[in-house]
Amino acid sequence: MADYTITGAAAGVPLGIKPQIVEVVLDFSSTSLTTSDSVEVFTMNANTLVLMAGVEVLTAASTGSPVLDLGDDADDDLYVAALSGSATGHEINNAAKFYTAADTIDLIANTATFDGKVRVFAVIAELGTAETAATFA
């Protein structure tokens, strides 16, 4: 059996591709997120790998029992499903997804208006276009 060494790579991954954390705090105290409204929180470029995403409620809604979802165009609650907006807390989902085409990660209010504050975050790796094939030594 032959052993091959790939040049220009570390741990089998082309050098230079690094995961990163993207986050944003959204304050709905002056502009409420009403039922079925959505906010396109992050734009995912084509060839981006999302390793995990989540929502943290920093300030609970002042009234009602809003429920928050975090997902994309294909699945509106892929990352967070039915997080209570009426109490502080968080939900994190490690459902990895590879985006072959550009898309957005969206925050959606369900059941009631949300007027609190949330942090939305994701760990992503933008892979870009396929590089030249690695050479074997």
Side-chain angles (χ1 to χ4, degrees):
M1 170 172 53
D3 287 332
Y4 295 98
T5 302
I6 299 174
T7 58
V13 179
L15 297 174
I17 297 174
K18 295 176 177 56
Q20 60 182 320
I21 298 171
V22 292
E23 72 169 334
V24 65
V25 173
L26 303 172
D27 186 349
F28 295 102
S29 61
S30 61
T31 303
S32 297
L33 189 63
T34 60
T35 304
S36 298
D37 279 354
S38 68
V39 175
E40 294 179 344
V41 181
F42 303 122
T43 299
M44 295 294 107
N45 296 322
N47 300 315
T48 297
L49 174 63
V50 175
L51 299 169
M52 56 79 64
V55 175
E56 177 185 12
V57 177
L58 300 170
T59 305
S62 62
T63 61
S65 299
V67 173
L68 304 172
D69 290 342
L70 185 69
D72 59 20
D73 290 342
D75 184 351
D76 64 1
D77 61 1
L78 173 65
Y79 300 111
V80 172
L83 175 63
S84 172
S86 58
T88 58
H90 66 278
E91 183 175 330
I92 301 169
N93 190 328
N94 62 353
K97 181 171 181 178
F98 181 66
Y99 289 91
T100 57
D103 201 344
T104 56
I105 294 181
D106 310 321
L107 180 70
I108 301 168
N110 291 313
T111 69
T113 298
F114 180 73
D115 63 354
K117 185 189 304 185
V118 296
R119 178 192 329 265
V120 183
F121 51 90
V123 177
I124 68 169
E126 293 184 293
L127 303 180
T129 58
E131 294 185 19
T132 305
T135 58
F136 292 90

